[in-house]
Amino acid sequence: MADPAQALVAHALAIEWHNLSPDAQAAARTFLHDTICVGVAGRNAPDADAVAAMAIRWGGAGHSPILGRPGQTASPAYAAFANGFQIHAQEFDCVHEGAVAHPLATVVAALLSAASVTPCSGEDFLCALVAGVDVVATLGLAAGPLRFFRPATAGVFGSVAALARLGRLDRATAVCAFGHALSFAAGTMQAHVEGKPTLAIQVGAAARSAIEAIDLAQAGIAAPGNAISGPFGYFALFETRFDADAPLALLGHVDHVTQLSWKPYPTGRAAHGAIVALQTMMRDHGVSGENLVEYVYRAPPLIARLVGRRPVAGCAVAYARLCFAYLGAVTLRGGTVALDSFADELRNDRALLALAERFRVEADDNVDSAAFVPAEAIARLANGSIVRIPVVQQFGSPEWPLTREQHCAKARACLAFGGLDHAFDDLLRMLDNFETEPDALQALRAAFG
């Protein structure tokens, strides 16, 4: 049987704008806008300045842009590294829940660099974006329980597919690039367990490696042909179990870009259901810091694994973003979780940390290793009453999408956090018709002034 790379590459290279559904076209524009704005906000994430400085130093001279940093450029590979880091660093980038992956952090980072080397149209940029999402989603849906950090390990292949579509490579060269991507594929969940910023570093490295894999393939350097299903290929090395037949059969029939979820809050996606349920309790049942005794979020095991950690005074920002107990306390105190909810004074606030001890995540018996719902939020109050909120959808998912106004509010907040709020109107206007732009990168640069 042919390696899945053959089918993935063939699908990616065949994507054309006029063949995409209106929903897929709209989702591609929308989530490109979301990703660009999140990447601009990431300019002020912890460690982002150091990462950008190292990217410029490592990569030497170049003219590929780094989001949110007018005048700062790097070589294509290392600009992709910096942009991938910034897009994922605040846990605000979109996610494909079924695949348990963040496709656009790597894909958009890689495409921005490629567009700086060879000018491309907005239409081709968007088609390449869709191709990358389809590949990441297919690899994620084919796999079992999360073992490695899939946004990076699958992300490098999705980015290679996107770059191949953008450059309209021949199939043999693109498959060869998949082989080189296998050599570069990496991403450990240990960074997630410890709450370290190396999660975003791994995303950046995957975007960088995709560019390098394409370059190596175009140079004619041979690489393994069975990169995905070979005995030491992607599936065997990175996934606990896998079955690619059904996901591969969806290619060309399901537009995975329409299955992306926004992150309404700059946190792990696994915490979103619990945050919204708490907000509902506060609004409809008067739950407050004064009357809450205990809040339990009973959810699929994936949720407990990803955000069930306990609060720790002075923990790193990356840890806090993945700690629902901390996020619950922030929500109970201020009504929401925002980009400024992780300041040093908050992460060391004794009263807030004491409040956080009232929150916990409890795993249920769901056997779906990728399930985010159904779940239930249970609050026990000081008067002895119990409030229960079922969670059957997550805010920001395709079933409960952000409205245009909510999407724009998030975009505006991200641009303001990155110091480029003046660009909101021009960027939105341009991206609403991005497929008509003859030069994608020139249009983006003009929108930012």
Side-chain angles (χ1 to χ4, degrees):
M1 182 178 295
D3 189 85
Q6 298 283 346
L8 293 171
V9 163
H11 170 76
L13 296 178
I15 290 177
E16 298 293 344
W17 185 252
H18 64 269
N19 289 331
L20 295 173
S21 69
D23 286 345
Q25 293 177 347
R29 288 189 295 260
T30 295
F31 284 105
L32 174 60
H33 184 219
D34 180 78
T35 303
I36 292 291
C37 294
V38 166
V40 169
R43 180 256 180 277
N44 283 324
D47 303 308
D49 286 344
V51 168
M54 284 185 284
I56 293 169
R57 175 163 58 88
W58 289 338
H63 57 272
S64 297
I66 302 177
L67 290 168
R69 300 176 185 274
Q72 286 188 282
T73 59
S75 68
Y78 281 95
F81 180 90
N83 283 325
F85 176 87
Q86 288 187 192
I87 292 169
H88 189 65
Q90 294 175 302
E91 287 284 352
F92 219 3
D93 51 319
C94 61
V95 62
H96 191 290
E97 293 183 13
V100 196
H102 302 256
L104 292 191
T106 52
V107 167
V108 170
L111 289 176
L112 287 172
S113 286
S116 73
V117 176
T118 304
C120 66
S121 68
E123 179 178 305
D124 278 334
F125 193 106
L126 290 168
C127 287
L129 181 154
V130 170
V133 172
D134 280 350
V135 168
V136 174
T138 299
L139 292 176
L141 292 171
L146 196 64
R147 181 184 178 200
F148 287 84
F149 187 55
R150 198 170 290 153
T153 59
V156 67
F157 294 103
S159 298
V160 163
L163 294 171
R165 168 57 184 84
L166 191 70
R168 294 190 177 275
L169 303 187
D170 62 87
R171 187 180 300 189
T173 301
V175 170
C176 179
F178 263 62
H180 287 299
L182 173 63
S183 299
F184 296 142
T188 172
M189 285 295 288
Q190 190 61 36
H192 194 291
V193 170
E194 297 185 20
K196 296 295 172 59
T198 39
L199 282 178
I201 291 288
Q202 293 173 164
V203 167
R208 178 204 66 209
S209 294
I211 290 175
E212 295 168 338
I214 290 286
D215 287 347
L216 289 167
Q218 288 187 298
I221 300 173
N226 294 322
I228 305 301
S229 63
F232 299 99
Y234 172 74
F235 281 147
L237 293 179
F238 290 100
E239 300 294 355
T240 54
R241 63 173 185 269
F242 49 88
D243 184 353
D245 290 344
L248 286 172
L250 296 177
L251 291 173
H253 302 284
V254 172
D255 297 315
H256 289 294
V257 71
T258 66
Q259 301 302 307
L260 293 177
S261 296
W262 286 269
K263 281 189 176 181
Y265 313 104
T267 71
R269 181 60 173 161
H272 278 60
I275 291 169
V276 173
L278 177 59
Q279 291 172 325
T280 301
M281 290 180 178
M282 294 167 65
R283 183 188 67 236
D284 297 344
H285 301 279
V287 172
S288 68
E290 288 69 39
N291 64 17
L292 179 68
V293 175
E294 182 183 47
Y295 180 105
V296 177
Y297 191 60
R298 182 167 169 75
L302 178 66
I303 305 301
R305 178 183 177 186
L306 295 181
V307 296
R309 65 195 66 196
R310 300 310 304 156
V312 177
C315 66
V317 173
Y319 183 100
R321 290 188 193 280
L322 301 172
C323 174
F324 171 64
Y326 174 85
L327 301 168
V330 167
T331 303
L332 196 60
R333 177 184 281 187
T336 192
V337 180
L339 285 164
D340 60 1
S341 295
F342 303 92
D344 289 347
E345 57 269 24
L346 288 175
R347 290 180 289 108
N348 287 285
D349 186 320
R350 291 186 179 183
L352 184 69
L353 292 167
L355 188 60
E357 291 294 342
R358 305 182 201 177
F359 292 85
R360 62 185 175 90
V361 180
E362 180 181 293
D364 63 18
D365 56 0
N366 194 317
V367 297
D368 184 346
S369 62
F372 285 76
V373 292
E376 184 180 32
I378 307 163
R380 182 164 59 91
L381 306 184
N383 64 6
S385 63
I386 303 290
V387 179
R388 296 177 179 270
I389 299 289
V391 178
V392 295
Q393 297 173 340
Q394 293 221 107
F395 182 37
S397 68
E399 297 78 22
W400 187 3
L402 268 62
T403 64
R404 170 80 167 184
E405 292 72 23
Q406 290 166 332
H407 166 81
C408 286
K410 174 186 173 180
R412 189 184 293 275
C414 285
L415 292 176
F417 192 81
L420 294 178
D421 49 316
H422 68 274
F424 175 79
D425 291 329
D426 287 345
L427 183 65
L428 179 63
R429 188 180 306 113
M430 185 274 296
L431 286 175
D432 274 345
N433 299 283
F434 194 53
E435 69 276 13
T436 67
E437 295 291 344
D439 189 317
L441 192 60
Q442 182 179 353
L444 283 167
R445 283 175 165 150
F448 282 112

